[in-house]
Amino acid sequence: MSDLPVLFDYWRSSASYRVRLALAIKGVEYLSHPVNLVEAEQRGATHMARNPMGAVPVLQIEGLRLTQSLAIIEYLDETRDGPALLPEGAAMRAQARALAQIIAADMHPLGNLPILQRIEALAGEQAKLEWVLHVISKGLIAYEAHLAQMPRHRFTMGDTPTLPDLCLIPQLYNAMRWGVDLKGVPRCLAVQRAFAELPAFEAAHPNSFAPVNA
């Protein structure tokens, strides 16, 4: 039986994508266990026993079952070698967490699958599309405004990826999937281009985990 960590995730889940990026950057070998959100496997008894919120990701590691993507990422940063995922200093760490939460706390919950399914059921496909475009655009424009007030680096906080980048990259993937106009976020796109040069980008990308018939 393998002692490798196990990541219970869904290939197109933003929160799962964040954790895959962290695992790749830290060089942590792990096993992927898909949980099909479209088929509601996350609400089945087996997964609810892993996470009573019925959500992904869940990382099973060292006898622990960790939930919530940002908490998982910080655990990996504190327990694994490799590039630091939070900058040095209390002020910089607070800024990094705040930028990450623009996406993870302010944007993502408003555009996740259950919310979009409910909007579509109440108001139709077009209302769902208009909602998701609004939510993603508003959040990315806010993130871009923060970047405009900061020194220009290769990534958000410096020359290596940190926590906010791990949230930004999946959200840009979502934006492109939904057809969001990204002309107003050039610095976000510059971070994405820099990230695409890293081995972690392809290793964690949804396309590397997509089902054959997706």
Side-chain angles (χ1 to χ4, degrees), residues 40-213:
E41 288 183 2
Q42 74 277 17
R43 294 196 291 271
T46 300
H47 190 72
M48 290 292 286
R50 299 183 195 113
N51 182 2
M53 280 298 292
V56 293
V58 176
L59 182 64
Q60 188 169 289
I61 185 170
E62 298 169 338
L64 303 171
R65 278 184 179 166
L66 303 178
T67 63
Q68 299 295 342
S69 62
L70 301 193
I72 294 171
I73 291 168
E74 292 210 30
Y75 177 84
L76 292 171
D77 200 34
E78 292 171 2
T79 62
R80 294 298 185 274
D81 294 332
L85 299 177
L86 281 167
E88 294 185 4
M92 293 292 284
R93 284 173 178 254
Q95 187 175 31
R97 291 185 176 110
L99 286 166
Q101 288 176 24
I102 288 175
I103 295 171
D106 295 336
M107 296 174 65
H108 180 219
L110 297 178
N112 64 14
L113 184 61
I115 295 296
L116 298 184
Q117 289 174 333
R118 184 61 174 161
I119 291 172
E120 183 174 8
L122 291 172
E125 175 73 24
Q126 184 60 32
K128 178 185 78 172
L129 178 60
E130 290 176 5
W131 174 255
V132 75
L133 293 178
H134 167 73
V135 167
I136 295 176
S137 296
K138 180 181 178 181
L140 289 179
I141 287 169
Y143 195 104
E144 182 79 15
H146 280 281
L147 285 177
Q149 298 170 6
M150 298 165 58
R152 185 179 288 274
H153 297 291
R154 189 176 179 216
F155 299 96
T156 296
M157 305 289 296
D159 293 327
T160 59
T162 53
L163 179 64
D165 299 302
L166 305 190
C167 295
L168 177 63
I169 295 305
Q171 197 59 63
L172 288 171
Y173 168 82
N174 282 342
M176 292 175 173
R177 183 166 69 89
W178 286 103
V180 175
D181 184 350
L182 297 175
K183 291 194 295 291
V185 292
R187 286 188 60 171
C188 290
L189 293 176
V191 171
Q192 184 187 48
R193 289 192 296 272
F195 217 118
E197 298 174 2
L198 303 178
F201 183 80
E202 184 175 354
H205 196 280
N207 289 350
S208 298
F209 295 85
V212 174
N213 58 350

Side-chain angles (χ1 to χ4, degrees), residues 1-7 28-31 59-62:
M1 185 174 180
S2 175
D3 291 329
L4 291 177
V6 179
L7 181 65
V28 177
E29 189 178 356
Y30 67 97
L31 301 176
L59 182 64
Q60 188 169 289
I61 185 170
E62 298 169 338

